[in-house]
Amino acid sequence: MAGLDYLIFQLMRTLFLIIWSTVTMASFAQGPAVKVEPPSWWTGMANSQLQLLVEGEGVGRMTASIEEAGISLLGFESAANSRYLVVNLDLGANPNAGTYHLVLKENGAIRHTIPYVLKEREPGSADRQGFTPKDVIYLITPDRFANGDPANDKVSGMPDQTDRSRPGARHGGDLEGIRQHLDYLENLGITGLWLNPVLENNMPRGSYHGYAVTDFYQVDARFGTNDLFRALSKEAKSRGMMMVMDQVINHCGSAHRWMDEMPYPDWINLWEEGENGFKGTNHRRTTLVDPHAATSDLELFQDGWFVPSMPDLNQRNPVLATYLIQNSIWWIEYADLGGIRMDTYSYPDRDFMAKWTQAIMAEYPRFSIVGEEWFPQPAIVAQWQRGNDNGYPSELNSLMDFPSQMSLMRALKEKESWNAGFLTLYETLAHDFLYPDPDMLMVFADNHDMSRIFTQLDEDLGLYLNAMAFVLTTRGIPQIFYGTEILMSHPGTDAHEVIRSDFPGGWPGDKADAFSGKGLSPDAKQTKDWMRAMLQWRKESPAIHTSGNLTHYGPLHDGLYVYFRHGDGQHIMVVLNKNEQAVSLDLGRFSNDLIGATRAIVVPTGEEVSLEQPLSLPPGKPLILNWFNE
């Protein structure tokens, strides 16, 4: 028996050595792990060329080839940093879906064989419809909406963890929390979800907002996973709500791995005189079009950083430019997006932004992109929109309508006079001639970067209703900030972390539950019901959806602003009213728009009123009238 045991031992030892040797040689052939971005791609894209940024120890010293036929290798080049290799491919007119293999060799020996997947596009992907005036977009700060998965509140290796006792810390809201409350959003009448950035922000602190990206291809683990984001987008779409992704191209987070290992020295806009390369932007957007602007002012605007924790990306580097364009397209295709909201639209390189819009709209001609250009004057905002005759080849079809938002606040809060009050709003809309398509502007009363509308209006319910009536009935695409429907407010502070407070009911043990209405104030309940009724009515209102049909009447300094919408047999009259006493409105002035109508329905209450006599207006509330051709 002893001899047999020894023979078995020798056979097992020999087998172990063979297996160990095989594994060792395979490991040597493959080398250490490498990262390839984009991580996958699709067949049937309008642009057949694809750039791969390969990252790993020493890969910049290697050569590249593709094992399988059907894809052409256009070339490869080592980045300035030997950790990166740039590989350029041509996928041809109709490549086969499947797994291809990128082979990297050093001195003739294979170091890495990297599988790369080309997927079939979903049917109709290229023809996807973006948001239009038919839609209402609901803006959510994911960390502050609902905690659907407490297991991801604290993630190993991510120092900024959950602590609801601190306003600036993470609070635990996540993608699963949003998914669990899609019923609420659908019932409210929402047709689009804009989430503040969900990509990884692995920063030491203050990362809950999502604008300091540390991985452009990875959802933050405290929100969920890439698969969950895609599933949320598809489930929302099945309920009639598209996903609008908040993207950031101007900067990254200071904890991004690029800051330790930049592919090229000019990957980031670094300033010699600034500490760690930082020099703050001057925020002078006008330098882009000002014929008198100093060159140094223009350079500081575009290349200056927002804050030291957000390094400014240099889109003039062609590899980075392609990287960012492909990243946006990858997320559209992967997550089945209906739109993009681009952060700080005017701050990246201006020529690059034109190319970025062109590339996206070439792939998705009916897609929608809304750019953030925070400026009070329509001329500065309008310069970016597609179809402008200023010679700038933009394909951007939508912009945040900051001019109307600022004018709306002035109109509601100022005392009426010949040059103040509602006249401010009236004259802002009169500048719509500057926009090639004013109906594609995104209108709003507030957002995540400014005080909530109820706070801005000193918690005056009547003024709030006037503001929201305007947003929901004027030209454009309404955007509503989460909690607006329940009068969320923050008197006494304009701190962003407080503006973005937790949505009541999103966490176990909350005193109030906005989803069910339990614990809300009577005003909050009534406002939520009013908002729901308005949004559901808006869905079925062709006059609201029709472009180019807004007629407004010059204010008479009487605390009233009147305008009409007409379309497909429907007629709408809107009276914004901030009078503190009941007033009477004679309708003779509006005969051209009343079109002989004698009666109308009040929205959203459904009561009937006569149009053959002056309207009696209650104090400080809007009046919306609806009628159809008889």
Side-chain angles (χ1 to χ4, degrees):
M1 291 293 296
L4 182 60
D5 287 343
Y6 178 78
L7 179 61
I8 293 173
F9 167 78
Q10 290 289 4
L11 288 172
M12 293 295 292
R13 180 175 180 273
T14 301
L15 181 61
F16 170 79
L17 290 173
I18 292 173
I19 293 174
W20 180 87
S21 176
T22 302
V23 170
T24 300
M25 287 188 292
S27 298
F28 177 77
Q30 294 299 311
V34 295
K35 187 180 185 72
V36 180
E37 294 177 327
S40 59
W41 204 247
W42 291 267
T43 63
M45 303 297 283
N47 182 2
S48 66
Q49 295 193 6
L50 178 66
Q51 171 190 284
L52 303 180
L53 185 62
V54 185
E55 179 182 356
E57 187 64 35
V59 299
R61 297 188 293 269
M62 301 177 190
T63 62
S65 62
I66 295 290
E67 277 191 350
E68 296 82 4
I71 292 180
S72 300
L73 178 68
L74 297 179
F76 56 86
E77 65 176 48
S78 175
N81 185 330
S82 64
R83 281 189 57 83
Y84 299 91
L85 185 70
V86 182
V87 180
N88 293 303
L89 306 175
D90 193 319
L91 307 183
N94 190 26
N96 293 323
T99 301
Y100 294 78
H101 293 84
L102 176 67
V103 178
L104 303 184
K105 295 181 180 179
E106 186 174 20
N107 298 323
I110 295 176
R111 294 293 182 242
H112 302 283
T113 300
I114 307 164
Y116 196 81
V117 177
L118 285 182
K119 305 175 184 178
E120 292 277 3
R121 297 180 81 181
E122 293 190 8
S125 176
D127 199 40
R128 66 184 66 233
Q129 177 62 61
F131 50 77
T132 72
K134 295 181 180 180
D135 293 300
V136 175
I137 310 299
Y138 192 81
L139 166 58
I140 295 175
T141 302
D143 181 66
R144 306 301 171 91
F145 191 66
N147 188 350
D149 182 10
N152 63 24
D153 288 356
K154 296 182 185 293
V155 176
S156 177
M158 306 189 96
D160 191 18
Q161 298 185 347
T162 301
D163 182 356
R164 285 187 77 195
S165 68
R166 294 192 295 117
R170 285 185 173 261
H171 288 187
D174 50 31
L175 298 177
E176 177 60 21
I178 297 170
R179 191 197 66 78
Q180 291 174 8
H181 293 100
L182 288 177
D183 280 344
Y184 170 81
L185 298 168
E186 181 181 9
N187 181 256
L188 189 61
I190 300 303
T191 63
L193 303 180
W194 160 19
L195 312 185
N196 288 146
V198 298
L199 299 185
E200 182 190 275
N201 273 229
N202 194 9
M203 300 287 286
R205 61 184 180 278
S207 66
Y208 75 92
H209 52 72
Y211 287 97
V213 177
T214 56
D215 191 327
F216 282 88
Y217 281 98
Q218 188 64 49
V219 166
D220 195 290
R222 291 156 296 192
F223 290 149
T225 64
N226 286 12
D227 287 346
L228 181 56
F229 181 56
R230 179 172 55 187
L232 171 63
S233 177
K234 288 186 175 296
E235 184 173 347
K237 185 176 181 179
S238 72
R239 295 167 174 262
M241 295 178 284
M242 69 179 66
M243 182 64 73
V244 179
M245 188 176 186
D246 201 341
Q247 295 190 351
V248 186
I249 272 181
N250 180 66
H251 50 263
C252 65
S254 58
H256 196 293
R257 64 186 186 278
W258 288 338
M259 299 310 294
D260 293 325
E261 296 280 359
M262 279 192 285
Y264 295 87
D266 64 347
W267 201 254
I268 303 292
N269 289 314
L270 300 173
W271 295 80
E272 291 183 5
E273 65 270 35
E275 184 177 354
N276 296 323
F278 167 77
K279 190 173 183 180
T281 177
N282 55 19
H283 299 287
R284 296 289 176 246
R285 300 160 175 81
T286 52
T287 57
L288 293 171
V289 291
D290 178 3
H292 315 295
T295 301
S296 58
D297 287 342
L298 173 59
E299 291 175 349
L300 185 58
F301 168 65
Q302 289 213 303
D303 295 350
W305 299 18
F306 259 78
V307 290
S309 61
M310 295 179 179
D312 200 71
L313 297 173
N314 176 24
Q315 300 84 18
R316 293 179 294 275
N317 179 293
V319 175
L320 177 59
T322 301
Y323 178 98
L324 295 171
I325 289 170
Q326 291 182 166
N327 179 257
S328 292
I329 293 172
W330 190 88
W331 281 109
I332 295 171
E333 201 74 27
Y334 175 84
D336 199 11
L337 302 181
I340 289 173
R341 181 265 184 183
M342 179 50 68
D343 183 60
T344 59
Y345 190 87
S346 60
Y347 285 74
D349 180 77
R350 192 167 188 258
D351 293 337
F352 164 78
M353 292 310 295
K355 294 175 183 176
W356 179 80
T357 61
Q358 291 165 8
I360 291 176
M361 299 308 286
E363 296 289 353
Y364 311 97
R366 302 172 69 205
F367 195 66
S368 293
I369 308 169
V370 58
E372 179 196 31
E373 175 63 300
W374 194 330
F375 204 79
Q377 296 174 7
I380 297 301
V381 178
Q383 65 167 313
W384 298 103
Q385 194 174 33
R386 178 173 64 190
N388 207 307
D389 61 0
N390 60 1
Y392 181 65
S394 173
E395 286 295 320
L396 180 69
N397 55 355
S398 179
L399 285 139
M400 304 298 302
D401 192 0
F402 281 94
S404 76
Q405 190 279 332
M406 297 178 196
S407 298
L408 178 62
M409 293 305 100
R410 286 185 57 191
L412 293 174
K413 299 183 73 171
E414 288 178 345
K415 185 178 180 180
E416 291 294 304
S417 72
W418 69 274
N419 64 349
F422 277 127
L423 185 70
T424 304
L425 183 58
Y426 170 81
E427 292 195 337
T428 296
L429 266 68
H431 283 81
D432 275 1
F433 73 90
L434 293 167
Y435 298 101
D437 190 357
D439 291 283
M440 279 299 291
L441 297 175
M442 190 167 284
V443 291
F444 58 102
D446 61 3
N447 66 19
H448 61 295
D449 284 329
M450 62 176 65
S451 290
R452 288 182 171 272
I453 180 60
F454 201 43
T455 305
Q456 291 188 57
L457 296 174
D458 302 319
E459 300 191 345
D460 184 309
L461 183 57
L463 294 181
Y464 163 92
L465 292 173
N466 274 286
M468 297 314 300
F470 173 78
V471 168
L472 297 178
T473 60
T474 190
R475 88 289 187 265
I477 304 152
Q479 170 248 296
I480 298 172
F481 189 27
Y482 79 98
T484 296
E485 72 273 23
I486 57 164
L487 302 177
M488 283 180 66
S489 188
H490 49 91
T493 180
D494 60 358
H496 283 188
E497 60 268 23
V498 179
I499 291 170
R500 307 160 186 165
S501 292
D502 297 346
F503 192 73
W507 283 257
D510 283 358
K511 293 180 180 179
D513 185 349
F515 299 112
S516 67
K518 181 181 178 181
L520 295 180
S521 71
D523 280 349
K525 288 181 180 179
Q526 291 176 14
T527 302
K528 186 172 78 166
D529 291 342
W530 178 87
M531 185 75 77
R532 181 190 301 113
M534 284 291 297
L535 295 183
Q536 295 294 350
W537 166 79
R538 194 183 186 283
K539 280 185 177 181
E540 308 302 324
S541 297
I544 297 290
H545 308 157
T546 303
S547 298
N549 69 343
L550 172 66
T551 302
H552 63 170
Y553 287 76
L556 301 177
H557 325 314
D558 55 1
L560 303 175
Y561 175 46
V562 180
Y563 58 91
F564 290 80
R565 304 292 304 272
H566 304 286
D568 200 18
Q570 183 187 30
H571 309 279
I572 299 167
M573 177 181 183
V574 180
V575 183
L576 302 186
N577 169 27
K578 62 181 184 180
N579 288 284
E580 296 180 358
Q581 294 83 33
V583 295
S584 179
L585 176 63
D586 186 86
L587 298 178
R589 185 183 178 210
F590 314 112
S591 59
N592 287 342
D593 279 281
L594 291 173
I595 318 175
T598 59
R599 307 194 70 78
I601 300 300
V602 177
V603 180
T605 64
E607 78 177 280
E608 190 175 281
V609 298
S610 172
L611 298 178
E612 297 181 299
Q613 59 192 26
L615 290 175
S616 178
L617 305 175
K621 291 184 179 180
L623 178 66
I624 304 169
L625 300 179
N626 177 54
W627 70 96
F628 287 85
N629 291 340
E630 296 182 0

